[in-house]
Amino acid sequence: MSDRTPSPLPKYKRVLVKLSGEVLLGSHQYGIDSTVVEAIAQKIKEVVNMGVEVAVVVGGGNIFRGISASARGMDRATADSIGMLATVMNALSLQDALERLGVFTRVLTAISMQEIAEPYIRRRAIRHLEKGRVVILAAGIGNPYFTTDTTAALRALEVKAEAILKATKVDGVYDTDPTVNPYAKKFDSLTYLEVLQKELKAMDDTAVSLCMDNHIPIIVFNLSDPDNIRKAILGQKIGTIITQGE
Ligand code: UDP
């Protein structure tokens, strides 16, 4: 009889991980902390080795956020184009870190830039996932006035992911901002409607509505511990899970 404890089985076979730009900041004020990217890549490798298919949508807020630039007078659509290009920089950094660990990846962009990445084609993205490649989705949905949260919801539905793992810098969804209010209350679970009605800062409303209409769970968790990606995939209770409810 073997004395080896069997490895726990993943709860999800295919997930979409949303990495906001702020988690790539690490200890920096601006740009990409390569140590953080490497730690995230290592954890993605572990879950890929468990047989989980992983798509990643990367944000760009660590480099450029369209809405902030437009508040300072820049044309919003132009500012958002720059924001989308920022996400491509993050995507290429993550690809590089994964490839250095021997993980097969593809970057797919919603804005064509075929010299550096493949265009986003839904069927191709699914094919890459089936082959065990990490699919990194960049340039948002390719249109201004959207966010990478909405991109995450849309792409998760398109590639038939079973859950969205939204990695942030706080350990779940709170009733008020925990960085400002020490008495802020964390929710272990929420319904989509509660998130929308209470105007909680989980994902933007467009993203939450899309998830609600299509019944895809969102798990919001802290990526300061990169092992949380693995824990979320194993179905362990971390962060806040947002679903339809009973
Ligand atoms: N963006 C956009 N369309 C999209 C996705 C993103 O115009 O479909 C732009 C927008 O300017 C946004 C920026 O890209 O501010 C970076 O994305 P986001 O703010 O969602 O990044 P995160 O907050 O996740 O770092």
Side-chain angles (χ1 to χ4, degrees):
M1 206 170 73
S2 163
D3 58 356
R4 282 180 54 198
T5 321
S7 312
L9 288 175
K11 180 173 179 185
Y12 306 108
K13 174 85 178 86
R14 180 177 293 169
V15 293
L16 186 138
V17 178
K18 161 72 207 295
L19 289 180
S20 61
E22 66 168 10
V23 302
L24 306 178
L25 273 177
S27 56
H28 298 191
Q29 294 293 318
Y30 173 85
I32 304 166
D33 184 336
S34 57
T35 329
V36 170
V37 179
E38 281 159 20
I40 296 170
Q42 181 60 46
K43 289 300 163 186
I44 292 176
K45 177 180 177 165
E46 282 176 30
V47 298
V48 169
N49 287 347
M50 285 159 57
V52 177
E53 296 171 5
V54 182
V56 184
V57 165
V58 281
N62 53 323
I63 300 171
F64 200 92
R65 215 181 276 284
I67 199 158
S68 315
S70 82
R72 293 191 297 271
M74 192 174 200
D75 171 69
R76 173 70 191 267
T78 306
D80 280 342
S81 296
I82 300 173
M84 287 187 274
L85 294 177
T87 72
V88 180
M89 294 191 223
N90 286 333
L92 294 177
S93 303
L94 179 63
Q95 177 177 49
D96 179 76
L98 284 163
E99 282 184 342
R100 277 186 278 132
L101 295 172
V103 180
F104 295 105
T105 66
R106 291 290 187 276
V107 172
L108 272 54
T109 57
I111 297 171
S112 285
M113 41 185 93
Q114 295 185 35
E115 285 77 9
I116 55 171
E118 292 180 17
Y120 172 73
I121 297 169
R122 188 182 71 88
R123 285 172 189 280
R124 194 180 277 185
I126 292 173
R127 193 79 193 108
H128 288 318
L129 289 169
E130 287 168 350
K131 288 188 171 175
R133 296 170 185 148
V134 174
V135 172
I136 306 167
L137 300 159
I141 62 166
N143 289 99
Y145 296 95
F146 285 90
T147 65
T148 52
D149 274 358
T150 301
T151 308
L154 176 65
R155 297 296 188 235
L157 297 170
E158 287 184 287
V159 303
K160 300 184 170 53
E162 292 158 275
I164 297 173
L165 311 188
K166 158 124 179 167
T168 67
K169 277 185 129 172
V170 283
D171 59 348
V173 183
Y174 284 77
D175 57 352
T176 51
D177 185 348
T179 60
V180 179
N181 176 9
Y183 302 105
K185 177 179 168 285
K186 187 191 143 211
F187 298 100
D188 291 334
S189 63
L190 282 164
T191 65
Y192 305 110
L193 264 185
E194 284 171 325
V195 174
L196 293 172
Q197 286 168 349
K198 295 182 206 277
E199 299 183 359
L200 300 172
K201 302 272 170 284
M203 281 184 119
D204 64 63
D205 289 0
T206 315
V208 176
S209 302
L210 256 178
C211 293
M212 179 167 73
D213 289 348
N214 296 281
H215 308 264
I216 181 164
I218 308 164
I219 303 163
V220 182
F221 64 98
N222 193 340
L223 198 65
S224 301
D225 176 1
D227 199 35
N228 278 341
I229 297 181
R230 191 183 62 86
K231 289 181 183 162
I233 286 172
L234 289 175
Q236 293 179 13
K237 280 200 168 50
I238 57 155
T240 304
I241 183 157
I242 305 165
T243 59
Q244 205 73 38
E246 300 307 311

